[in-house]
Amino acid sequence: MKTQQRKIFLALAALLILIAALFGVYRFTKQDTKTGAKNVTIDVIHADASLKTFTYQTDREYLGELLTDEALASGENGPYGLFITTVDGETADDAAQEWWCITKNQEMLNTSADQTPIADGDKYELTLTTGY
């Protein structure tokens, strides 16, 4: 019986160590946010390739907050935050495999809008893209 209890104890200890390690990785890789006033530029590239530029002054720390505050974008809340479906009045057609791609200085981001911290002088692009 003691062997069984020892195995359970070791398994729980290993699980706690794993949880602590994952938390450490999360804290180490999480991007820092900047507080205070920021100037942010957002280019919207529509399906017809037309470009519209928006410039905002904001105290917000994340891109998703800025987009919804300014009513530039809307969408659905998912496990990673805001899933953008509409930008500047144009809605992506899921049946046509359309989606809004977020880039910063023309480089694709690996975070959702709600997980993307903004800093003064940042420039983002929201491009209606076809194809998964």
Side-chain angles (χ1 to χ4, degrees), residues 31 35 37 43 48 61 73-74 127:
Q31 297 179 14
T35 58
D43 286 342
D48 63 2
E61 295 181 7
S74 62
T127 306

Side-chain angles (χ1 to χ4, degrees), residues 13-116:
L15 181 61
L16 288 175
I17 291 170
L18 178 64
I19 290 170
L22 290 174
F23 180 73
V25 168
Y26 166 76
R27 296 287 294 167
F28 181 71
T29 60
K30 182 180 175 193
Q31 297 179 14
D32 292 330
T33 61
K34 307 287 187 220
T35 58
K38 304 166 207 56
N39 290 312
V40 178
T41 302
I42 301 171
D43 286 342
V44 177
I45 298 103
H46 289 276
D48 63 2
S50 64
L51 171 72
K52 217 168 172 186
T53 300
F54 299 86
T55 303
Y56 299 107
Q57 293 182 345
T58 184
D59 290 345
R60 292 304 204 158
E61 295 181 7
Y62 292 94
L63 181 61
E65 297 170 330
L66 172 63
L67 294 173
T68 54
D69 282 357
E70 298 296 334
L72 180 60
S74 62
E76 304 165 3
N77 284 321
Y80 304 106
L82 177 67
F83 177 74
I84 298 172
T85 56
T86 303
V87 176
D88 191 32
E90 185 169 10
T91 301
D93 182 1
D94 192 44
Q97 295 187 352
E98 291 180 343
W99 56 284
W100 286 98
C101 179
I102 306 171
T103 54
K104 179 179 179 182
N105 299 321
Q106 299 178 346
E107 291 186 25
M108 187 178 255
L109 298 177
N110 293 325
T111 55
S112 70
D114 284 347
Q115 297 172 337
T116 301

